[in-house]
Amino acid sequence: MIAYIIRRMLYAIPILLGVNILTFVLFFVVNSPDDMARMHLGMKRVTTEAIETWKAERGYDKPLLFNQASEGVGQLTDTIFFQKSLKLFQFDFGSSDSDRDIGYDISQRMWPSLAIAIPVLLVGLMVNITYALLIAFFRATYIDIWSVVLCVVMMSISGLFYIIGGQYLVSKLLHLVPISGYDTGLSAIKFLILPVLIGVIGGIGAGTRWYRTLFLEEINRDYVRTARAKGLSEVVVLFRHVLKNAMIPILTGVVVVLPLLFMGSLITESFFGIPGLGSYTIDAISRQDFAIVRAMVFLGSVLYILGLLLTDISYTLVDPRVRLS
Amino acid sequence: MSDILLKVKNLQTWLGEGDRPVRAVDGVDLTIRKGETFALLGESGCGKSMTALSIMRLLPPAGRIKGGQVLLGKTSLLDLPEFAMREERGGRMAMIFQEPMTSLNPVMTIGQQIGEAVRIREGVDKESRDLRIIELLNSVGIPDPERRVGEYPHQLSGGMKQRVMIAMALAGRPELLIADEPTTALDVTIQAQVLNLLKTLQQQTGMAILLITHDLGVVAEVADRVAVMYAGQIIEVAESERFFRLPQHPYSQKLFQSLPDSNKRSQRLAVIQGSVPALNQIFTACRFMDRCHRAFGDCHTAPEWTALSDDEGVRCHLSEQPELLQSEVIQQESHQPIASGVGQAPLLDVEDLKVHFPIHKGVFKRTVGYVKAVDGVSLTIAPGKTLALVGESGCGKTTVGKGILQLVKPTEGRVTFETDELTTLSSRALRSRRSELQIIFQDPVASMNPRMLVSDIIEEGMKAQKIVRDSAQRRARVMELLEQVGLPADSASRYPHEFSGGQRQRICVARALAVDPKLIICDEPTSALDVSVQAQILNLLKSLQLSRGLAYLFITHNISVVAYLADEVAVMYLGRIVERGSVDLLLAEPKHPYTQALLSAVPVVESTSRRTVIRLEGDMPSPANPPTGCHFHPRCPIAMEQCRTAYPELRPLPDGRLVSCFKVEDGL
Amino acid sequence: MMGELVILWTDALIFMLVLFSMAFGIYAAGKEHLRGPWGLVVRSRVGVSTLVILSFYVVVGLLDSVHFHPLLDSKDQAGQQTQSAEVISLFDYLVTPLRERQEKTYSAPLATHLYAKESIELASGEVVRDFPRLTFGGAHLENPEQEWSRDIWRLTGIGVLKGLLVSVVVTNILIALLAGRWKTSFGAVAKVLIKEETTVPWRVLLATLSSVILVLFWSIELSSQYHILGTDKVGEDVFYQALKSIRTGLLIGTLTTLVMLPAAILLGIMAGYYRGWVDDLIQYTYTTLNSIPGVLLIAAAILMLQIYMSNHADEFNSLVERADLRLLFLCIILGVTSWTGLCRLLRGEAMKLREVDYVQAAVAFGVGHFTIIVRHILPNVLHIVLITVVLDFSGLVLAEAVLSYVNIGVDPTMNSWGNMINSARLEMAREPVVWWSLLASMLFMFVLVLSANLFSDVVRDAFDPRLRSSR
């Protein structure tokens, strides 16, 4: 087990390196620091000096990969690749193009993100599983058929519509909660209710439909027939046998996204004006602040790999057949 | 009669919706008495499992019971509401299934699963429940039950799982146990254990068993009475003893004649022509008429049930004229005498073949051990001869076949085919020699690409080997081959799924023959087929051998097939051959204790040749971690001290066979 | 009329895709295992009705993919007709009135007046603040307050009548064709159709087709005099925008998969079939790509493209071309982020298949690796590819809206539902709300995605026998 985890961690290094090289190529080779400077300073009529100053202030004046001016190790370390990309491995995100400490920003902004993402995940999971179990109990009846239709309809509606519609209905017409904004402490709740509700509703269609498939798949297994042959009632069969087995794919599906919850939801956060990592990313994209985008790419990759590892570990916890080696 | 436990009257079960539902069970009548073992015998698709599931009311969603009556004692099961039916399921009647691998919940411990059944019957007192679980596990012969209750199904072997299933069924102290092919997925030695267990339990508890099976041997071993099912109906019911002595229905008679054994070596096996009719039609004629060798005018109307005695009967028009029923003259075609191939140089010479699969572990996936699937196998096959490689599942016999063909790269050893050493050939040279060694697989469904036409499938080898370059000639050759294996010419332009299992296996034979091989490795080619179809394939293989001088390496676990087909036999246990010799010698007088046990465990049809079963304890160990010394010693009834430390060499006996056993050496 | 044809990159690809699908159709018609499931699809009621709706979208999309320079009325010195520098599509040409009748700013659906008060100078020279009349919407009405509703009903009546007429004609043609094919009388076919005793649910097909035709004629009739879905900020017809957005949605949904398919199929099968270092390398590649959050990768790539384009502005002939290239690039980058799922699926399947008996048999015949892959592995994973393509489609259409909202989607000048939503969102705060752009785009998108989702369910059930048996 421990050997397995260590191996997976070692395997993560080349992957993160790959991610870094890819973003490096995108950000510094295709789009050179000169281009960035020009874009930040205004496209036309920029003096070369202004560009050089801008670059020097942000440490983009170094060579990309190899610094002939330096000596010894400095030839490799005193470069943009080392300073800007490899430093990420120490979780040293540096400062943004508008001179803010990215690490600090992230640590501040992850809490609002989690405040939305975790309730959405948990409530959504509960709602979807309950609904899917209900459908599975009434399988092959009209309840089943119409529920599936409802799910397909719900998943065919754009997420944007849920948000805009929800904001319009709940906040603008009914004035139940504020349209957008955020506060600290308990007073945040009134800002969170609507985004959480919308997040849950938006996920019902796809989630329930998937869980239903999982349940029905399990219901057709031989061991369910064995359980019925014992004389167990349908409810016991459903809860003790079907649910328990179907929880394996459900749980592992949840575990893989757990770390990524930190990243927040881009759309929800920006619509509701929540100062989380999602809106942070969006702002960075629209302000074309590459330092932040770079940091978020790296963070996302780390969390994704962590999610994969956690998934494997969670398999061993819920499925007695799986042993890691 | 008061001793009647279960009475099924005119049971009808349909599968599927629409205007042509499958009438899987079409008017079945059964009577089972208290304490008896009643066997329901039939080939796949005849509706025997559906009958059992209908009785339990556990049909799959597509199935529904259209009519009839099922009486358990005085209770009419089909009229019970679902909650009352639950009381009967697992209460007065219980069921065990064919696949012990999938029939247990993988994420619950054995104890929990048996506990569930106990709890329904005995209440919730945890202490007494735990005691009862242990007691049940003890009664089905699971060693060390206190430890086993906490284990998960995947930690148990197939035989153990089936025992757990039986324990679960016993929890409600049933009066009727329905066993749906309980041993089909198990090896013969394990099958013997489970059948024996069922018998013992029946004696202890006095329950009746409804045993559903396709295996005449199993019926002969355990059944008191037999019902034969064909195409959704019961066509014959008889006392077991009478049934095996004097079967009445032409179908039953043919079944017996199609069984291979050593006495029929020079004959062609009897076959039942054609295949089972589709059940989504309404029959007006006798269902068996099209395949029956004794069909006559009356058969165009469906025969009624004719009672021969109180609880025996047959559904055949011949029974209305008793003098006709038994007057059949059995005519057996014989094979041409076999041309002697003695003295020829061996076609294939395998020496010390080893196939090891590495086990990786640790941070850097170091190789920490090997699964020794094949661990030093030597054998030779002469041209035109058949060597049977016999063993239980997991002994490595299939890997030997693949190793010889270089489908799996051997770890060590030499495979000499004619003059070429296959293991050292370049892949190019090997490719060009591949036409001479061919293979036929066990699963007729998986062995053909479902996306290709039969003609393309057969042509594939010819194209790859560039045997016939001209497409018209290839075409002609496909037709020729199809005719040789007994398939109509229009088969060429059809897809594999349009054929039955037996026909598909014929296509596979044709495909192998297309490249004119000298040796065909047959990997359990008949084990997925019904007995009557198996006979067709065996006949085909035998006649091809005679006409073309083919040599076979016949991999199987079926001893009667070996007796019918093989010239030489090699018995494998855990990656090594334990005994090798000519078929007559080895089957008549096995020397190695494993061979002895294996042969004795095979259920036989003839009551006269029944021998005492040598029961082997436990299961075959894992090839990743074989026992020290002789691999067989932990299960060997005659193991000595020496066996625990050293592996006995394969030594020749005076009668020409080779045995690897210290005891046999000592006996010399 | 039509001047010089302009073939945009995406146009070329879309017609290549059409050709490819036709070729595949011909190939599939000869293969029982591919024809059979499609037979099941057209036998399902949901299958045929969604197919009708989807083909309506496809027709609009295809018409909108033939671009050219329109000819101007004037002639140049050589007596040749001059052509405009503007690039329009066949679809634009067909709906010219919709395209050209621009209002000043917002107006509500079917409105006769603008949405905002303006200072209007009356004939008397007096200036009042009122809602001014629209230049085109309901301009034929003398007295809108009284005539408006009657006019709407009149146009509706005419539209429905025309629609019914055409539906009846279409139905009769179809019945006649079927009668010819089945070699029975017209009446007999009609009877069978009405009772729905046919294997292909023709009745459902006709019903859907008729409803589409009815809606179509109704909207044609109404839009000849009004802006049926209102106008946007610069006075453009919203109905026209929504229709134009169909092409964008379809392109994103199909080209993306087309772009990623070769890589996914090739790499997936290679990884599963060859195992060893090939597998390691391919797995590494897709894990790395997968671990970058998709949105960020797209954002980064699109930002790069923007910078490149603004630095090399002179390389593009027109705005249309520029927007088109950005669309293509978006498809490619979406493809890069989405091929990994299919690749992993195919790897697993190829890994299973290489151990299957018929592949082993082929090896035993000495068949080469390439032939084995082409003849045995590829045909047996094709259904997975097909299911994935169909399933991915609706997700991609929805993704476009989200990406455009974040400004990393299609070019802001391009018509797309995402852009429509994005611009409409800013007006949600207005009082009263400007809701029609939003609703129009949502509606068009919803119908497309719902049909695609239902259709993909039918396709998956038909092609995945495992699912079929569990029903």
Side-chain angles (χ1 to χ4, degrees), chain B residues 451, chain C residues 24 28 31-42 379-388 390 455-469:
Chain B
R451 313 293 195 220
Chain C
F24 182 75
K31 300 277 175 182
E32 210 271 331
H33 57 91
L34 289 172
R35 202 179 53 215
W38 281 116
L40 287 181
V41 171
V42 297
N380 284 295
V381 297
L382 219 51
H383 66 283
I384 298 180
V385 175
L386 197 85
I387 291 170
T388 316
V390 182
F455 184 69
S456 64
D457 270 10
V458 176
V459 170
R460 192 187 46 189
D461 288 355
F463 277 88
D464 196 332
R466 194 174 59 93
L467 283 169
R468 216 183 306 159
S469 62

Side-chain angles (χ1 to χ4, degrees), chain A residues 14 18-19 22 26 31 35 156 158 161 164 168 172 209 266-267 270-271 281-282 285 288 290 301 304, chain C residues 284 290-292 295-296 299 303-304 306 311 402 405-406 425 428 430 433 438 442 445 450 453 457 466:
Chain A
V19 170
L22 197 73
L26 270 178
N31 174 38
D35 291 332
S156 302
S158 167
F161 186 80
I164 297 174
Y168 181 73
K172 202 156 177 196
R209 207 167 74 120
L266 301 182
I267 306 298
S270 82
F271 261 103
T281 316
I282 289 224
I285 291 172
Q288 316 212 331
F290 297 111
S301 316
Y304 175 79
Chain C
Y284 169 74
N290 229 12
S291 68
I292 303 177
V295 183
L296 289 176
L303 290 182
M304 297 306 103
Q306 267 176 350
N311 288 345
V402 172
Y405 164 76
V406 196
R425 182 185 58 98
M428 287 302 286
R430 266 176 97 111
V433 179
L438 194 69
M442 287 294 182
M445 199 157 67
L450 182 64
N453 273 336
D457 270 10
R466 194 174 59 93

Side-chain angles (χ1 to χ4, degrees), chain C residues 3-130:
Chain C
E4 191 192 340
L5 268 180
V6 178
I7 297 179
L8 300 175
W9 273 100
T10 48
D11 292 345
L13 282 172
I14 207 81
F15 283 104
M16 232 174 74
L17 183 68
V18 171
L19 277 180
F20 177 74
S21 326
M22 275 158 62
F24 182 75
I26 293 166
Y27 168 80
K31 300 277 175 182
E32 210 271 331
H33 57 91
L34 289 172
R35 202 179 53 215
W38 281 116
L40 287 181
V41 171
V42 297
R43 258 173 239 157
S44 128
R45 291 183 197 186
V46 180
V48 290
S49 49
T50 50
L51 207 55
V52 169
I53 295 172
L54 287 177
S55 30
F56 168 75
Y57 275 85
V58 169
V59 168
V60 173
L62 286 180
L63 284 176
D64 207 4
S65 297
V66 184
H67 288 94
F68 56 90
H69 293 290
L71 288 182
L72 296 176
D73 291 335
S74 59
K75 299 199 172 175
D76 65 1
Q77 283 100 348
Q80 290 279 314
Q81 268 199 315
T82 47
Q83 58 181 31
S84 160
E86 185 191 18
V87 177
I88 65 165
S89 71
L90 206 54
F91 177 77
D92 289 327
Y93 179 75
L94 289 175
V95 296
T96 305
L98 276 183
R99 181 166 55 99
E100 289 180 343
R101 289 190 314 200
Q102 280 222 339
E103 305 292 346
K104 209 165 171 187
T105 181
Y106 291 114
S107 70
L110 299 174
T112 54
H113 291 81
L114 268 189
Y115 199 60
K117 281 190 181 173
E118 274 183 10
S119 304
I120 308 169
E121 202 184 318
L122 297 178
S124 58
E126 201 183 339
V127 177
V128 288
R129 277 195 72 77
D130 199 0

